[in-house]
Amino acid sequence: MAGMHTSLRSQPPSSNSNYHFFTAKILLLLTLLPLSLALFAFVLQWRGGGIVDDPISRWSPDDSHTKFPGMDTSPSATVGHSPSSDCSMLLGNSNALSFPYYRDWKFKFDSDLKPKICITTSTSAGLDQILPWMFYHKVIGVSTFFLFVEGKAASPAVSKVLESIPGVKVIYRTQELEEQQAKSRIWNETWLSSFFYKPCNYELFVKQSLNMEMAIVMARDAGMDWIIHVDTDEMIHPAGAKEYSLRQLLLEVPGSVDMVVFPNYESSVERDDIKDPFTEVSLFKKNYDHLLKDTYFGMYKESVRGNPNYFLTYGNGKSAARVQDHLRPNGAHRWHNYMKTPNEIKLEEAAVLHYTYSKFSDLTSRRDRCGCKPTKEDVKRCFMLEFDRAAFLIASTATEEEMLNWYREHVVWTDKTVNLKLLRKGILTRIYAPTAIVQGLRESGVFSSVISSAQGTLSKDKFLASIDSNNSSSAIASQSHPSRKIGRNRESQATARKTLEMTTFHEAAVPPLSPPVMDPDLMIEA
């Protein structure tokens, strides 16, 4: 028994041996499994050439992922890249320049770019305003610009730069242009007649309508699908599209729609020393059309801040029209058709951002280009909107310090408590996309490149010739005003035609209109 007991104790228990063997296998399996999975993932990635759907790699500046929203030429796709397109077509410079977030970003002006969108405007601004405005709209999908230029915009230093940019047509206010516009059928019709023979904003309104009429013909000849009239202090904000693309937004509009209305948002500057509104302003007041009725009227008093209306200037937005037969302008804010009432829709998210009175100098610039007397009665002949009248009177009669105090009180949003309250209620909103795009364009050297490229290609002889040409054009423009002089020359002919022909009724042109006004007696505290 003792021997047997000793023999049993000398042998290790079989259960312990099996336990250690099983544990060793588990540890080996746990070690090999992650290694195998890592190797398998490496093989898949190597064979597939990278994970193309990774959101970080998609928008990285790597050449293999150069994609930009809305720039694919295929209507069925939303993101695309064309290796054959030339960056110089957009920038007017070498391929060395690029948008910092997208290496060698490109736009094509070929016939397969759909839909084709053009913008027309009448401007006297300088390059510091026109170039950011133009290239921002190029980024969101506008391919063609019809620029009717006067003043600073028509000077050689500015106009030659604009002419060097692909997709830009510059039209000068020459005697030939005015003679051509004097033959417009607009003078023989009634829809714009209430704006004839008046100065300042009324005259500009008629001039814009005549320019828009010519732009329609140019758009049709260029094969455009859509035409939009916006000023150079306005930017289209294509919210609501699957991507930040005006092309994508209009691509999704049903074919039965003739006109698309963009309600306008108005800039709400927070400082009195703004120099570059497109990159320094991000706060905007929403349009009535994008607010609940109870919110709009419930916060009306805080939103107005003692001004005549909810917005400083107009509140009825701008519109895009499908290029088609019998299209005509209906004032600077709308389009119409001679043969039918257009089928119109109003966008629920997209807007036009209006940078109005965003710089203190805007007070004096309006004063300097209008020759009206600083009286309450005379300003009514010059300006359609109440705030414009008040601003003109202040700029014409007050000292610099008084103007600045008035500007801070009526335009600048300095009360952060009120701003936060209105932001929470949805009256005010922050929009950063234009700032980011314009700042990116500037940092990449796009604007300076366009300017230097144009100056490099302009010879001394051509430069001197352009000075003579533009000086003569400016002299003609200063002596001839189509909304008054040309109209008077044709007044008798128009009267004769109206007595001999059966005229068709056309609704009056849509002027710049203020948003809805609340009865002060019914205002409620929010």
Side-chain angles (χ1 to χ4, degrees):
M1 291 292 293
M4 183 179 295
H5 179 70
T6 303
S7 175
L8 288 173
R9 290 183 62 184
S10 63
Q11 297 178 2
S14 60
S15 59
N16 289 341
S17 176
N18 290 337
Y19 173 78
H20 289 298
F21 181 72
F22 180 75
T23 301
K25 282 188 173 183
I26 290 296
L27 291 174
L28 179 63
L29 180 62
L30 291 175
T31 303
L32 292 177
L33 182 60
L35 293 175
S36 301
L37 291 174
L39 180 62
F40 181 64
F42 173 78
V43 171
L44 286 178
Q45 186 171 359
W46 175 74
R47 292 184 64 189
I51 305 175
V52 297
D53 289 331
D54 175 33
I56 297 178
S57 62
R58 171 178 292 183
W59 303 112
S60 71
D62 185 84
D63 285 336
S64 62
H65 303 291
T66 311
K67 300 180 179 180
F68 196 86
M71 293 301 108
D72 188 11
T73 56
S74 172
S76 61
T78 58
V79 180
H81 168 56
S82 173
S84 62
S85 58
D86 184 3
C87 188
S88 62
M89 295 185 68
L90 171 66
L91 304 180
N93 197 32
S94 68
N95 290 332
L97 282 176
S98 62
F99 195 70
Y101 309 113
Y102 308 94
R103 184 172 299 168
D104 293 331
W105 60 296
K106 307 168 180 72
F107 298 91
K108 295 174 65 179
F109 296 93
D110 300 335
S111 59
D112 56 352
L113 186 65
K114 292 292 183 179
K116 283 189 171 183
I117 306 169
C118 67
I119 281 180
T120 180
T121 193
S122 304
T123 182
S124 59
L127 291 176
D128 59 327
Q129 181 171 328
I130 297 177
L131 289 183
W133 170 85
M134 180 186 297
F135 278 92
Y136 166 82
H137 286 104
K138 281 180 175 286
V139 167
I140 64 173
V142 178
S143 62
T144 304
F145 297 82
F146 302 117
L147 307 181
F148 291 82
V149 296
E150 295 184 62
K152 187 186 297 184
S155 66
V158 175
S159 61
K160 293 306 174 184
V161 174
L162 299 176
E163 288 178 346
S164 72
I165 303 173
V168 176
K169 173 67 175 176
V170 179
I171 304 99
Y172 299 92
R173 181 147 292 280
T174 61
Q175 183 175 0
E176 180 183 0
L177 175 68
E178 295 196 347
E179 290 175 352
Q180 185 175 355
Q181 290 187 338
K183 302 174 183 177
S184 168
R185 62 185 293 179
I186 286 177
W187 297 106
N188 299 328
E189 296 167 351
T190 59
W191 58 270
L192 194 64
S193 59
S194 62
F195 298 88
F196 293 162
Y197 320 127
K198 296 179 182 179
C200 294
N201 277 17
Y202 289 92
E203 180 179 347
L204 174 62
F205 196 76
V206 173
K207 194 178 296 183
Q208 287 174 327
S209 299
L210 291 167
N211 293 344
M212 290 166 68
E213 184 184 46
M214 295 188 70
I216 291 172
V217 178
M218 298 177 187
R220 187 179 61 226
D221 293 343
M224 295 291 109
D225 299 303
W226 291 90
I227 184 170
I228 309 173
H229 175 262
V230 293
D231 298 324
T232 52
D233 63 348
E234 299 170 330
M235 284 185 165
I236 299 172
H237 175 54
K242 288 184 290 187
E243 55 199 38
Y244 200 75
S245 166
L246 180 61
R247 282 186 55 224
Q248 183 63 39
L249 189 71
L250 294 179
L251 185 65
E252 297 172 355
V253 173
S256 60
V257 173
D258 303 304
M259 188 168 68
V260 175
V261 176
F262 294 81
N264 63 294
Y265 290 6
E266 191 172 80
S267 60
S268 300
V269 297
E270 299 168 88
R271 307 194 325 267
D272 60 18
D273 60 348
I274 298 292
K275 302 299 182 185
D276 182 16
F278 293 150
T279 58
E280 296 181 62
V281 177
S282 62
L283 187 65
F284 294 87
K285 189 188 292 186
K286 283 188 177 181
N287 194 286
Y288 169 80
D289 291 321
H290 285 180
L291 292 170
L292 296 174
K293 183 178 179 179
D294 291 344
T295 301
Y296 177 84
F297 289 115
M299 301 297 297
Y300 191 86
K301 184 176 181 180
E302 289 84 349
S303 304
V304 171
R305 297 172 59 223
N307 289 319
N309 292 295
Y310 174 79
F311 277 161
L312 301 182
T313 52
Y314 77 89
N316 53 330
K318 291 294 181 72
S319 61
R322 200 182 293 274
V323 178
Q324 54 187 293
D325 292 340
H326 312 297
L327 181 67
R328 72 161 172 88
N330 197 35
H333 296 260
R334 293 290 188 273
W335 306 87
H336 211 277
N337 193 294
Y338 280 110
M339 301 304 293
K340 65 177 182 179
T341 300
N343 181 19
E344 171 188 310
I345 63 170
K346 187 172 292 184
L347 297 175
E348 297 180 355
E349 296 181 66
V352 168
L353 307 180
H354 187 199
Y355 297 79
T356 186
Y357 288 98
S358 53
K359 295 187 292 184
F360 174 63
S361 59
D362 289 343
L363 284 179
T364 53
S365 65
R366 282 169 168 79
R367 176 200 66 192
D368 295 341
R369 66 172 180 257
C370 261
C372 290
K373 297 176 182 178
T375 64
K376 291 184 179 181
E377 290 302 319
D378 205 49
V379 293
K380 292 180 180 179
R381 296 190 308 112
C382 299
F383 302 100
M384 306 177 201
L385 299 172
E386 293 181 61
F387 188 86
D388 287 332
R389 297 169 183 172
F392 180 84
L393 289 175
I394 287 294
S396 302
T397 60
T399 65
E400 186 81 8
E401 184 178 357
E402 290 171 338
M403 278 194 292
L404 184 58
N405 290 335
W406 187 89
Y407 183 76
R408 289 169 178 166
E409 180 182 354
H410 292 271
V411 179
V412 184
W413 291 74
T414 55
D415 192 329
K416 294 183 178 180
T417 302
V418 172
N419 294 355
L420 182 58
K421 182 179 181 180
L422 295 177
L423 278 166
R424 288 173 174 169
K425 291 289 186 178
I427 299 288
L428 297 178
T429 185
R430 292 282 182 186
I431 300 176
Y432 295 101
T435 297
I437 291 174
V438 172
Q439 189 64 33
L441 289 164
R442 179 173 286 113
E443 290 174 357
S444 68
V446 170
F447 307 143
S448 58
S449 172
V450 170
I451 294 172
S452 60
S453 177
Q455 290 174 343
T457 57
L458 187 62
S459 68
K460 181 179 179 181
D461 293 338
K462 289 183 179 179
F463 183 80
L464 294 175
S466 67
I467 291 178
D468 294 336
S469 174
N470 283 278
N471 283 344
S472 61
S473 299
S474 300
I476 293 170
S478 65
Q479 298 171 8
S480 180
H481 302 281
S483 62
R484 292 177 289 174
K485 184 174 181 179
I486 295 177
R488 288 195 180 116
N489 290 343
R490 298 184 57 82
E491 188 173 8
S492 59
Q493 181 181 350
T495 304
R497 285 188 58 181
K498 287 176 184 176
T499 57
L500 293 173
E501 296 179 357
M502 187 74 138
T503 57
T504 303
F505 173 77
H506 295 295
E507 63 182 54
V510 177
L513 299 173
S514 298
V517 178
M518 186 174 184
D519 188 338
D521 296 332
L522 300 177
M523 283 189 181
I524 58 175
E525 294 292 338

